[in-house]
């Protein structure tokens, strides 16, 4: 059935009016010189970790595969600098956990791997193989292997591709700059995915607080002969949080609801981050896999906030020195302030799925003491998933796994809207995470 392009976004539930603080939106990205050393983790994705394919003393070049796995849900890993493998060892990651990493001493030449060439794509099978070989994962933060996402399960019908340019988290502008600075690859990727998966339409979803992106992509699409049927278009969205969350975005773009516990494909949609689709297009042209990442570096401790393009595996401390600090950061967040995670060390490396580093000042890091719940209901009103966060918090305290499952704790996407809206400052997201842990330990819902 032929699908029409939505004239305006559909109504979504809940959310929060967070401050935008997009300080770096108008600043062109800067490429950081090759660092002296990188540490490339062997797991930067959802799924099985990779096994190192190199050993200390080996010489490597940019784009050379240095880690891989035979598991379907995994993604190969490539060298981001040229140089010599110094070590293969466990390191502490920004999550606080430890994992294997390949340490490469850079020769400063950034010499590309001589074996790289554009993949030959003739059908869906060769396309999905190329996506796998690119090492691409969801670059919006999820880290889900893209070749798995694009492999639509048998029996499911997908007709709509949604490109996520919402970037609703405060501070973050990396996707905004990707859409402006790499627009041609964005559209090439959109048309390629739409063609290979035989989709009816592609909706590029952009919040209205990014007028330059809307204007630029609309202009390019108007002059693009591939869009004579107008099946690809830009849909301006209301600038609200969490507009960029997958299930919220699907509702806003299609008026479809992803059932509890199900995936976007169950609503006939595939959602891709804008940087992911541009990276895929670049790989199909050059054969250069995912080896670099654009990051928004901001926060009260940063001297000169900007978007920086760095080799994957660059130490966060090196980025601090490159950008410059005006004061010692009190806290480092990986990602935005709503869904980002506090990092325990500045010596962790940048990973594929990272899109922002927020170095917060002492004042920004202050967390007020929570008080008793006043039953105002703002957490329930704001929850885009129609959950009841305070009730879930109570069930966590009671360690009532059955009740946690009954009230769908596993469907919480941890957007933080409930905690942001709570006037009592209740740590609701932390409680829900504990609840998820209890459910996992107690077994899945039957």
């Amino acid at each position: 059935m032929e699908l029409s392009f939505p004239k305006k976004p559909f109504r979504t539930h809940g959310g929060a009016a967070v401050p935008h603080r997009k300080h770096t939106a108008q600043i062109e990205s800067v490429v950081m010189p090759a660092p002296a050393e990188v540490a490339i983790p062997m797991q930067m994705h959802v799924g099985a970790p990779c096994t190192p394919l190199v050993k200390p003393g080996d010489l490597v070049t940019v784009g050379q595969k240095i880690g891989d796995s035979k598991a379907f849900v995994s993604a190969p890993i490539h060298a981001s600098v040229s140089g010599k493998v110094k070590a293969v060892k466990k390191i502490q990651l920004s999550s606080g956990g430890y994992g294997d990493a390949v340490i490469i001493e850079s020769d400063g030449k950034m010499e590309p791997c001589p074996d790289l060439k554009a993949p030959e794509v003739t059908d869906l099978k060769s396309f999905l193989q190329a996506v796998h070989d690119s090492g691409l994962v969801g670059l919006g933060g999820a880290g889900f292997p893209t070749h798995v996402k694009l492999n639509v399960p048998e029996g499911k019908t997908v007709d709509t591709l949604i490109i996520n340019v919402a970037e609703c988290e405060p501070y973050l502008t990396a996707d905004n700059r990707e859409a402006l600075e790499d627009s041609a690859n964005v559209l090439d990727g959109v048309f390629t995915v739409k063609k290979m998966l035989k989709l009816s339409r592609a909706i590029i979803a952009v919040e209205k607080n990014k007028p330059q992106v809307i204007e630029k992509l609309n202009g390019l699409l108007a002059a693009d002969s591939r869009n004579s049927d107008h099946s690809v278009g830009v849909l301006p969205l209301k600038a609200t949080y969490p507009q960029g969350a997958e299930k919220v975005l699907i509702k806003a773009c299609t008026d479809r609801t992803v059932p509890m516990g199900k995936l976007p494909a169950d609503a006939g949609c595939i959602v891709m981050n804008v940087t992911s689709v541009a990276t895929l297009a670049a790989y199909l042209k050059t054969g250069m896999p995912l080896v670099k990442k654009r990051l928004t570096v901001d926060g009260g401790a940063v001297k000169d906030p900007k978007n920086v393009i760095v080799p994957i595996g660059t130490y966060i401390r090196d980025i601090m020195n490159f950008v410059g600090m005006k004061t010692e950061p009190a806290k480092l967040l990986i990602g935005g302030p709503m869904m980002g995670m506090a990092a325990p060390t500045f010596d962790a490396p940048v990973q594929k799925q990272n899109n922002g580093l927020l170095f917060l000042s002492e004042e920004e890091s202050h967390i007020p003491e929570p008080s008793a719940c006043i039953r105002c209901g703002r957490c329930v009103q704001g929850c885009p998933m129609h959950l009841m966060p305070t009730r879930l918090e109570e069930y966590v305290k009671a360690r009532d796994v059955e009740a946690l499952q009954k009230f769908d704790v596993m469907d919480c996407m941890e957007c933080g809207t409930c905690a942001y809206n709570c006037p009592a400052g209740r740590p609701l997201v932390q409680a829900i995470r504990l609840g998820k842990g209890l459910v996992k330990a107690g077994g899945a819902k039957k």
Side-chain angles (χ1 to χ4, degrees):
M1 184 179 71
E2 188 173 342
L3 290 172
S4 60
F5 196 88
K7 295 180 180 176
K8 61 180 182 179
F10 297 93
R11 183 185 295 273
T12 58
H13 177 77
V18 300
H20 294 145
R21 297 179 185 171
K22 304 283 189 181
H23 307 130
T24 56
Q26 306 301 319
I27 304 172
E28 193 168 341
S29 305
V30 176
V31 178
M32 182 176 161
E37 181 180 295
V38 296
I40 304 180
M42 289 293 100
Q43 183 162 26
M44 298 185 277
H45 50 261
V46 173
C50 289
T51 300
L53 303 176
V54 292
K55 61 182 184 306
D58 287 353
L59 298 178
V60 297
T61 48
V62 180
Q64 178 181 332
K65 188 161 65 175
I66 59 171
D68 205 355
S69 168
K70 293 180 179 178
F72 177 61
V73 184
S74 187
I77 291 168
H78 305 82
S80 60
V81 299
S82 55
K84 182 186 288 188
V85 176
K86 184 177 175 181
V88 178
K89 64 179 184 180
K90 286 193 183 301
I91 63 168
Q92 187 174 26
L93 306 173
S94 58
S95 64
Y98 287 78
D100 290 333
V102 173
I103 315 298
I104 303 174
E105 199 172 55
S106 172
D107 60 12
K109 299 177 181 176
M110 296 299 281
E111 187 178 345
C113 178
D115 298 332
L116 296 182
K117 61 180 181 179
E120 186 176 355
V121 174
T122 56
D123 55 14
L124 179 59
K125 182 179 179 182
S126 58
F127 172 68
L128 292 175
Q129 184 63 50
V131 178
H132 169 273
D133 295 344
S134 73
L136 186 60
V137 303
L139 300 182
F144 193 75
T146 305
H147 71 279
V148 180
K149 173 180 280 194
L150 298 182
N151 195 337
V152 180
E154 193 173 341
K156 297 188 187 300
T157 301
V158 173
D159 53 29
T160 301
L161 171 66
I162 299 173
I163 302 301
N164 189 350
V165 203
E167 201 167 43
C168 54
E169 278 260 13
Y171 293 98
L172 302 186
T173 63
D175 284 345
N176 175 57
R177 295 311 308 177
E178 180 75 22
L180 288 173
E181 297 173 19
D182 201 15
S183 311
N185 274 331
V186 170
L187 294 186
D188 288 347
V190 170
F191 282 106
T192 298
V193 174
K194 178 176 173 288
K195 176 184 175 183
M196 297 309 302
L197 271 63
K198 296 182 170 56
L199 304 177
S200 298
R201 61 181 175 178
I203 301 170
I204 303 174
V206 189
E207 282 192 331
K208 287 182 177 177
N209 63 351
K210 303 169 185 66
Q212 288 178 301
V213 173
I214 294 171
E215 182 181 356
K216 183 160 189 177
L217 294 181
N218 271 332
L220 291 173
L221 283 170
D224 198 319
S225 60
R226 295 171 295 184
N227 201 33
S228 58
D229 60 355
H230 304 290
S231 59
V232 178
V234 176
L235 181 63
L237 304 175
K238 182 181 177 182
T240 185
Y241 185 84
Q243 191 71 266
E246 208 167 53
K247 293 180 180 178
V248 177
L249 200 60
I250 290 171
K251 181 68 176 175
C253 291
T254 67
D255 201 28
R256 300 173 185 171
T257 300
V258 180
M260 290 284 190
K262 299 294 183 180
L263 298 172
D266 294 292
C269 298
I270 286 177
V271 181
M272 289 187 73
N273 168 268
V274 65
T275 302
S276 297
V277 80
T279 302
L280 175 58
Y283 173 75
L284 294 175
K285 295 173 187 175
T286 65
M288 178 59 75
L290 177 59
V291 295
K292 60 184 179 181
K293 195 68 201 295
R294 178 186 282 102
L295 302 163
T296 300
V297 184
D298 202 345
V302 179
K303 184 178 180 182
D304 187 15
K306 54 171 66 81
N307 279 287
V308 183
I309 299 173
V310 305
I312 289 170
T314 300
Y315 294 113
I316 292 171
R317 189 176 295 282
D318 287 340
I319 299 173
M320 291 173 66
N321 293 334
F322 177 70
V323 174
M325 297 287 129
K326 58 186 179 184
T327 183
E328 182 68 17
K331 181 180 285 187
L332 166 61
L333 290 181
I334 307 294
M338 297 298 288
M339 295 188 74
M341 301 289 287
T345 174
F346 298 138
D347 294 321
V350 168
Q351 301 186 44
K352 289 180 179 181
Q353 68 273 36
N354 296 155
N355 52 15
L357 302 176
L358 299 186
F359 296 95
L360 304 182
S361 64
E362 189 70 43
E363 182 182 359
E364 291 173 318
S365 304
H366 175 68
I367 299 176
E369 283 294 319
S371 55
C373 173
I374 59 174
R375 307 292 178 188
C376 66
R378 293 181 193 175
C379 59
V380 178
Q381 289 176 338
C383 179
M385 299 304 293
H386 302 272
L387 302 178
M388 291 186 280
T390 49
R391 181 163 289 187
L392 292 173
E393 184 188 32
E394 292 171 0
Y395 292 142
V396 170
K397 289 180 181 175
R399 301 182 70 82
D400 189 339
V401 173
E402 186 175 342
L404 286 168
Q405 292 184 90
K406 180 180 178 182
F407 285 87
D408 299 307
V409 69
M410 301 305 287
D411 282 306
C412 173
M413 54 188 180
E414 302 177 19
C415 66
T417 298
C418 55
Y420 183 84
N421 287 343
C422 178
R426 304 292 307 164
L428 297 170
V429 179
Q430 291 90 330
I432 289 173
R433 283 182 185 146
L434 289 173
K436 288 182 174 181
L438 290 174
V439 170
K440 289 175 182 175
K445 182 188 279 189
K446 297 176 182 176

